[in-house]
Amino acid sequence: MGGSLIAASAVATTAFPNAGYAELKEYPPGTTFPGRIGRTIDESQPAWPAPIVAKPGSPNVLFIVLDDTGFGQLGCYGSPINTPNINRLAEGGLLYTNMHTTALCSPTRSCILTGRNHHSNAMACITEGSTGYPGSNGLIPFENGFLSEMLVGQGYSTFAVGKWHLTPAEQISAAGPYNRWPLGRGFERYYGFLSGDTSQYYPDLVYDNRQVEPPKTPEEGYHLTPDLVDKAIGFIADTKQLAPEKPFFLYLATGAQHAPHQVPKEWADKYKGKFDDGWDAYREKVFAKQKELGVIPQNTVLSRHDPDVQDWGQLPADERKLYARMMEVFAGFLEHTDHHIGRLVDFLEQMGELDNTLIMLISDNGASAEGGPHGSVNENKFFNNVPDDLQQNLQALDELGGPKYFNHYAWGWTFAGDTPFKRWKRETFRGGVSDAFLVHWPKGIEPKGGVRTQFAHAIDMVPTVLEALEISPPKDIRGVTQSPIEGVSFAHTFNDAAAASKHDTQYFEMFAHRAIYHDGWRAVCPFPGDSFAEAKASFGELTLTEDKLRELDAKGWELYNLTEDPAETNNLAETHRAKLIEMIALWYVEAGRYDVLPLDSRGTARFADPRPQLTKERDTYVYYPGTQSVPENVAVKVLNRAHTISADVDVPSEGAEGVLICHGGNTGGYTLFVKDGKLHYVHNYVSAEEFDIASTESIPTGKLTLRYEFEPTGKPDLAHGKGTPGKGRLFANETLIGQGELPVTIPLLIGLGGGLSVGRNPGSPVSELYTPPFAFTGKIFKVTVDVSGKSTQSAEEQHKAAAMAAMKRQ
């Protein structure tokens, strides 16, 4: 019954070659207890399974992921925006000028965390746009292990903080499943938001596997970025005070610089007047600074003025004023983000951990054009085809960046933010995929302030970390055999600026916009084209068909020699035809290897595709108080259809007030509530107008049912941002107590953030008639939403219409 401890140690070392100095991870399967068990304790010898412990001196690992930040927007890349803390990391480390991403957030983040290409991760698009094909179903395979899963098995603490956006959108509710949430993919602690964006003042927060609310209100000074950094610091401190030798892996993904561009006013005001000369002037100044800093080659030619961007000099003064302020807000937002990154870096330095922390900072794609040609003070208007009004936007000038607006700048600033490249996020020109990237690790990198020009891709980060940590990729994780890592390490460039890149070939594809890099050459096939206006003229509707694909492969590809032309300004497709044909063929080879096909150009129209749901859509939905908010993707769909909302309540003799049910936030939504004894239904039409239907008499006390009924009286005009008009009626039990007309309703998307909640209004207020959370002071038993009445538009049609509207803002 006994066994040799020495022999058992040898078995463990063979079975787990990367187990550091731990004798055993656990008793390996198939082995016997290595101690001795007798009839009594004095005849027995104990043998504890040793804990998993990292090798002594193992560095911490910190990934910092910025959102929608262009190549020309950080100070160390030539921008006039102040980023002293990010600059400090570059000055104490290495600045990479040839790093690439996928052109979109979720796909890039999957590459950063797994070391595999985004189609290999089934992440061709964002999770909301998944389709039923191996390369795009949104379910990152468990055989593609996350770096967190690899490192937690090596004795690391693992933390994720901030934006996630790697769980299928239909799986982020309280019903789960939770196996693709952060804690299901190797992170021991998580704090952040699971969706693609959120309000910086009223975020949809998740702590580990449960929803939580922000610790303060905007009026009390709350902002998401400092909250995220506070949690990151707290997670590290919690561990280090107990196990100071235990290294950590922290994945910090701020919501910045994605819309909404929100920051305290004093930060935006630092940039007053700095952008009054417009986006073209910004490009010229940044381009010159980039050459001075050596972040672009001296032979680089600045790309052309984008054909979709207005000429700044021809704009009316009011528009220039508005757009300049939008950029001031963005710049303040970025400097504010940099400040809080600096707090984290300072904390690591104070702990004595900074020198042995391998930091990699990256942006997930190029600057975002999702604000459209004119920008917006409420991005939900774009989703709903509701045009922005210049005068309304001008009235918002003094409050841009505050909690009232969900704002995004005009795409002229996108074009400028990607200097010196052309185009932007979602497209595979270098403006969409060439991104800021730096590495800081004083203990492991001798050069300070160096520039590295080797080609690299986000899939290379994981293998680089593993090489730096002297860890081999695991053969299996939790019993799942692992796929090969597809990236290659660039650790050899840390101390050798002249080292050749080991990454020779890389494909790109996003919404059928394709590119291929190979040995300094780059071929690009833009679809629908490198100008929306030109594309509409040539193609009409923008769905890629087999006939159009043949046409594109015959004459739609462009070819660039990046050694001579880093910014893709001289198309060599006609003069180097043989090279172009070679590159196109290579793209198809890579597409076959990594599950890229079929090509799907539909963009956010993919949102309309049916995909597996936990439950089928039904006629009746029952919701309860005290539960977590229901995310938009799985909440009842009431738009453009007859419906009733019934709240079974108990109102005390002294009366009650508060929210019965609400869905959305200050960007749009609806709310049923009691105030001053009266029952109210408010429909917030994308913050442009509130329609309030109130009862003419006070509600009774005792147990009763309070009900709202919506009867459509017309048809929606989705193309012009108008949902179904109708008549609303309020009832207490069966007694009609109020009614009113809704001349227009939200046509497509209820709100950005907020979800559906019963008994209170978490987050931003759906209506200006109350201050959240405005919890109901009586008792709510349940709220039933019935959509069995004859629909003006089916749920499936709503999905499709919403997707087409979303295409407009892209």
Side-chain angles (χ1 to χ4, degrees):
M1 297 179 67
S4 166
L5 287 174
I6 297 175
S9 178
V11 170
T13 304
T14 302
F16 304 101
N18 297 316
Y21 59 83
E23 286 192 68
L24 295 169
K25 281 187 171 180
E26 55 187 21
Y27 304 136
T31 64
T32 59
F33 169 64
R36 184 173 65 251
I37 300 177
R39 290 181 300 171
T40 61
I41 194 71
D42 62 325
E43 295 178 349
S44 305
Q45 181 179 352
W48 292 96
I52 301 169
V53 182
K55 290 182 289 188
S58 294
N60 308 305
V61 179
L62 168 59
F63 284 0
I64 301 174
V65 183
L66 301 177
D67 209 323
D68 290 358
T69 304
F71 189 88
Q73 289 182 325
L74 297 180
C76 49
Y77 282 85
S79 171
I81 300 172
N82 296 319
T83 56
N85 294 289
I86 295 174
N87 296 356
R88 170 192 171 191
L89 293 176
E91 291 162 2
L94 301 174
L95 194 70
Y96 283 74
T97 62
N98 208 3
M99 171 57 80
H100 296 79
T101 60
T102 70
L104 203 64
C105 53
S106 299
T108 294
R109 290 158 194 266
S110 78
C111 297
I112 289 170
L113 285 170
T114 69
R116 283 86 167 184
N117 283 298
H118 60 302
H119 292 89
S120 298
N121 288 324
M123 201 65 71
C125 181
I126 57 176
T127 61
E128 293 84 353
S130 59
T131 58
Y133 299 97
S136 60
N137 63 34
L139 300 165
I140 301 176
F142 291 110
E143 57 263 31
N144 293 3
F146 281 33
L147 182 60
S148 46
E149 294 173 302
M150 301 176 200
L151 294 186
V152 78
Q154 297 295 324
Y156 273 68
S157 296
T158 54
F159 316 127
V161 176
K163 175 174 171 176
W164 182 244
H165 210 200
L166 293 172
T167 303
E170 295 75 29
Q171 297 183 13
I172 65 171
S173 73
Y178 291 89
N179 57 351
R180 285 184 167 87
W181 289 37
L183 268 59
R185 295 306 311 245
F187 287 104
E188 297 171 306
R189 303 186 74 177
Y190 174 67
Y191 183 81
F193 57 100
L194 297 177
S195 57
D197 65 6
T198 194
S199 169
Q200 296 289 309
Y201 295 106
Y202 300 104
D204 301 315
L205 290 173
V206 168
Y207 201 146
D208 294 338
N209 281 351
R210 61 188 175 88
Q211 289 182 2
V212 296
E213 294 185 23
K216 296 188 294 186
T217 66
E219 293 74 22
E220 294 169 326
Y222 181 82
H223 189 279
L224 178 59
T225 303
D227 187 19
L228 295 178
V229 172
D230 286 347
K231 283 296 186 297
I233 290 173
F235 286 172
I236 294 169
D238 281 347
T239 297
K240 288 293 185 179
Q241 68 184 359
L242 296 171
E245 301 301 320
K246 187 176 185 180
F248 65 82
F249 168 45
L250 168 63
Y251 175 77
L252 173 63
T254 67
Q257 299 302 117
H258 198 289
H261 297 162
Q262 294 175 322
V263 71
K265 188 173 184 293
E266 61 269 21
W267 291 87
D269 286 349
K270 290 183 175 188
Y271 291 90
K272 276 191 174 180
K274 296 287 181 68
F275 306 109
D276 288 354
D277 50 359
W279 34 66
D280 291 295
Y282 178 101
R283 293 184 84 226
E284 294 288 347
K285 287 184 284 191
V286 170
F287 182 64
K289 188 67 174 178
Q290 287 174 333
K291 286 193 173 183
E292 178 187 329
L293 293 173
V295 297
I296 58 174
Q298 292 302 308
N299 65 337
T300 305
V301 175
L302 183 62
S303 59
R304 66 174 180 170
H305 178 94
D306 194 278
D308 288 325
V309 172
Q310 306 103 308
D311 182 340
W312 183 268
Q314 299 300 312
L315 289 171
D318 280 353
E319 287 196 50
R320 293 199 300 269
K321 181 179 179 182
L322 173 66
Y323 302 153
R325 183 56 179 174
M326 287 177 167
M327 185 58 186
E328 290 168 10
V329 171
F330 176 86
F333 191 22
L334 180 51
E335 184 175 347
H336 178 263
T337 303
D338 174 88
H339 170 76
H340 290 287
I341 289 172
R343 287 203 300 120
L344 175 59
V345 173
D346 288 345
F347 173 73
L348 294 175
E349 186 173 39
Q350 292 161 13
M351 292 184 73
E353 296 286 345
L354 181 60
D355 283 356
N356 198 29
T357 299
L358 172 55
I359 300 175
M360 293 183 176
L361 181 146
I362 191 171
S363 173
D364 62 357
N365 46 243
S368 167
E370 291 160 8
H374 307 293
S376 179
V377 298
N378 180 4
E379 201 179 9
N380 201 25
K381 289 185 177 182
F382 279 93
F383 277 117
N384 284 286
N385 276 344
V386 179
D388 269 287
D389 179 88
L390 178 62
Q391 292 308 312
Q392 290 179 350
N393 291 354
L394 285 168
Q395 291 170 10
L397 267 179
D398 290 340
E399 294 184 87
L400 285 180
K404 186 175 181 180
Y405 297 107
F406 209 95
N407 47 290
H408 195 305
Y409 57 22
W411 65 22
W413 293 117
T414 312
F415 148 75
D418 289 325
T419 302
F421 308 119
K422 61 184 177 183
R423 302 304 282 180
W424 39 56
K425 173 183 175 181
R426 289 174 40 98
E427 301 183 19
T428 63
F429 285 112
R430 294 198 69 190
V433 301
S434 291
D435 287 293
F437 180 72
L438 60 86
V439 179
H440 183 274
W441 184 25
K443 189 173 180 179
I445 300 175
E446 293 179 8
K448 303 293 183 288
V451 172
R452 295 291 182 268
T453 60
Q454 292 86 354
F455 181 93
H457 188 276
I459 60 174
D460 300 335
M461 293 170 64
V462 165
T464 302
V465 169
L466 293 179
E467 181 177 346
L469 271 55
E470 300 179 354
I471 293 174
S472 301
K475 294 181 180 179
D476 65 82
I477 292 176
R478 287 180 287 192
V480 178
T481 300
Q482 293 296 287
S483 66
I485 289 179
E486 295 163 358
V488 294
S489 173
F490 52 82
H492 66 293
T493 69
F494 285 173
N495 294 307
D496 185 359
S501 171
K502 296 179 181 179
H503 198 140
D504 300 323
T505 305
Q506 179 63 45
Y507 82 93
F508 300 86
E509 188 277 334
M510 190 57 61
F511 304 114
H513 201 290
R514 296 174 285 163
I516 182 82
Y517 168 87
H518 181 67
D519 285 343
W521 288 84
R522 201 163 190 277
V524 186
C525 187
F527 183 85
D530 56 5
S531 160
F532 292 140
E534 292 173 8
K536 287 179 181 178
S538 2
F539 282 101
E541 59 92 18
L542 304 179
T543 300
L544 182 62
T545 63
E546 184 64 33
D547 288 343
K548 287 178 182 177
L549 179 58
R550 289 194 201 97
E551 180 183 347
L552 284 169
D553 282 344
K555 59 182 182 181
W557 284 82
E558 303 172 14
L559 180 68
Y560 301 98
N561 181 342
L562 298 187
T563 303
E564 300 174 357
D565 180 24
E568 299 175 323
T569 62
N570 183 22
N571 181 8
L572 302 175
E574 293 299 324
T575 57
H576 291 69
R577 193 69 185 168
K579 184 66 177 179
L580 178 62
I581 292 171
E582 173 193 334
M583 296 287 281
I584 296 171
L586 183 57
W587 186 89
Y588 275 102
V589 170
E590 298 296 287
R593 179 178 297 164
Y594 297 115
D595 285 332
V596 178
L597 301 177
L599 293 175
D600 188 346
S601 67
R602 294 174 300 154
T604 49
R606 300 182 190 190
F607 294 176
D609 282 9
R611 49 185 60 88
Q613 300 281 344
L614 288 175
T615 60
K616 295 181 179 179
E617 291 191 0
R618 51 197 188 272
D619 289 339
T620 302
Y621 294 74
V622 181
Y623 298 107
Y624 299 96
T627 57
Q628 298 184 29
S629 295
V630 180
E632 176 78 20
N633 279 55
V634 293
V636 59
K637 297 170 177 59
V638 300
L639 298 180
N640 302 312
R641 63 198 314 186
H643 60 273
T644 64
I645 302 173
S646 303
D648 294 331
V649 301
D650 188 351
V651 178
S653 57
E654 64 273 19
E657 67 172 9
V659 171
L660 301 171
I661 184 173
C662 67
H663 189 172
N666 62 4
T667 61
Y670 64 85
T671 176
L672 183 65
F673 63 95
V674 178
K675 184 179 180 182
D676 298 328
K678 305 292 178 65
L679 181 62
H680 292 255
Y681 173 87
V682 169
H683 189 92
N684 177 343
Y685 175 64
V686 292
S687 75
E689 190 168 359
E690 283 191 11
F691 300 105
D692 176 25
I693 299 173
S695 64
T696 55
E697 55 191 84
S698 296
I699 63 171
T701 59
K703 292 183 178 180
L704 71 154
T705 298
L706 299 173
R707 187 167 80 255
Y708 166 76
E709 294 183 354
F710 176 74
E711 177 189 354
T713 57
K715 298 291 185 181
D717 182 1
L718 304 181
H720 297 91
K722 296 179 180 179
T724 303
K727 179 174 291 186
R729 299 185 182 92
L730 298 173
F731 294 85
N733 292 325
E734 298 304 317
T735 302
L736 178 68
I737 59 174
Q739 59 185 321
E741 299 291 332
L742 296 177
V744 65
T745 58
I746 298 171
L748 302 167
L749 180 70
I750 283 183
L752 299 174
L756 182 151
S757 298
V758 169
R760 60 200 310 272
N761 183 160
S764 63
V766 178
S767 172
E768 294 182 350
L769 293 179
Y770 59 72
T771 300
F774 200 44
F776 187 64
T777 55
K779 181 177 179 61
I780 300 175
F781 298 101
K782 64 180 180 180
V783 177
T784 304
V785 184
D786 190 310
V787 291
S788 61
K790 184 178 179 181
S791 299
T792 301
Q793 187 180 39
S794 71
E796 182 179 355
E797 288 171 331
Q798 288 185 57
H799 277 308
K800 291 181 178 178
M804 294 310 296
M807 282 290 286
K808 178 182 178 183
R809 73 187 271 271
Q810 299 290 353

